[in-house]
Amino acid sequence: MSLVRTRQVVLVGFMGAGKTSVGEALACRLAWDFVDLDAEIVRRSGRSIDAWFMESGEQAFRVAEAEIGNDVLREQDVVVASGGGWAVEAGRLAGLSGDTVSVWLDVDASEALRRVEDDVSLRPLLSGEGALRKAHEMLNQRRSAYGLAEVRVDTNGQSVEDVTSRVLAILETREREQKPNE
Ligand code: S3P
């Protein structure tokens, strides 16, 4: 499938929403590049996500995430899997360019936690005791920010393939429905 009016797709949503897996599959189907923002932060800084949080603190991580995110979003024909906190910053989704489609991969807290329990080192915010309570609270606080994405796809009980096909179908419909000068 090829898109004409869309030049970037940004996946947002909570930890465990499937942003990386769906992003990879989506980029493959579109024959576009794929960038995972967390992986890019680790690659450029030479530090793990865990190290960022433990040694420099969340605020410093957010600054790096914002800077590297801006840089990555200069690319064209790219699917970007953002980190779960990226879209939470005020104005972030509203500030995307007109040829970027933002997609919220929605997931319940309990399913999110099930999906990430093998790899909490990438998610220091969910480590330790009371992870489910923390996930519920965080998701409730963030829901309205994620809801500013142009498209929402429910991923609960869905495979990566199902979600990817759903996103592609939405992108295709969106392209068809847009007038040529939009
Ligand atoms: C975070 C999500 C993580 C990572 C960091 C903070 C968050 O990314 O950026 O641990 O604040 O939700 P994923 O959403 O890819 O797990």
Side-chain angles (χ1 to χ4, degrees):
M1 182 193 156
S2 66
L3 301 176
V4 178
R5 297 190 185 96
T6 303
R7 297 269 62 109
Q8 297 173 324
V9 176
V10 181
L11 302 177
V12 306
F14 200 60
M15 295 169 265
K19 301 180 294 292
T20 302
S21 317
V22 171
E24 271 171 347
L26 195 60
C28 190
R29 298 272 293 270
L30 291 168
W32 279 9
D33 289 340
F34 170 68
V35 178
D36 179 82
L37 185 50
D38 281 339
E40 192 60 14
I41 294 167
V42 172
R43 192 182 70 79
R44 293 194 194 189
S45 66
R47 302 169 76 196
S48 69
I49 301 294
D50 223 12
W52 269 102
F53 276 76
M54 306 297 265
E55 293 161 15
S56 308
E58 180 171 353
Q59 271 320 102
F61 172 76
R62 297 297 173 202
V63 172
E65 181 182 49
E67 282 174 8
I68 297 174
N70 285 342
D71 217 29
V72 160
L73 285 167
R74 289 198 187 95
E75 276 188 47
Q76 296 247 301
D77 297 350
V78 64
V79 178
V80 178
S82 67
W86 179 83
V88 176
E89 186 71 23
R92 196 140 280 164
L93 290 175
L96 292 173
S97 80
D99 51 12
T100 303
V101 180
S102 52
V103 180
W104 172 22
L105 300 184
D106 196 2
V107 66
D108 291 345
S110 49
E111 178 148 347
L113 214 55
R114 261 198 310 280
R115 293 184 192 167
V116 305
E117 63 194 355
D118 290 339
D119 207 350
V120 282
S121 71
L122 289 174
R123 285 102 183 180
L125 293 175
L126 290 181
S127 64
E129 280 177 25
L132 185 58
R133 182 186 44 79
K134 284 189 232 172
H136 270 295
E137 284 174 5
M138 244 192 281
L139 194 49
N140 282 340
Q141 283 163 5
R142 291 177 171 189
R143 202 162 267 285
S144 57
Y146 295 148
L148 296 175
E150 200 176 323
V151 172
R152 172 186 167 271
V153 174
D154 184 357
T155 72
N156 289 294
Q158 305 288 312
S159 68
V160 170
E161 292 72 28
D162 290 342
V163 176
T164 306
S165 297
R166 178 90 195 98
V167 175
L168 277 169
I170 292 171
L171 293 174
E172 215 165 14
T173 307
R174 192 180 163 280
E175 288 245 327
R176 257 201 319 269
E177 289 175 350
Q178 261 183 346
K179 296 191 187 75
N181 58 351
E182 265 184 319

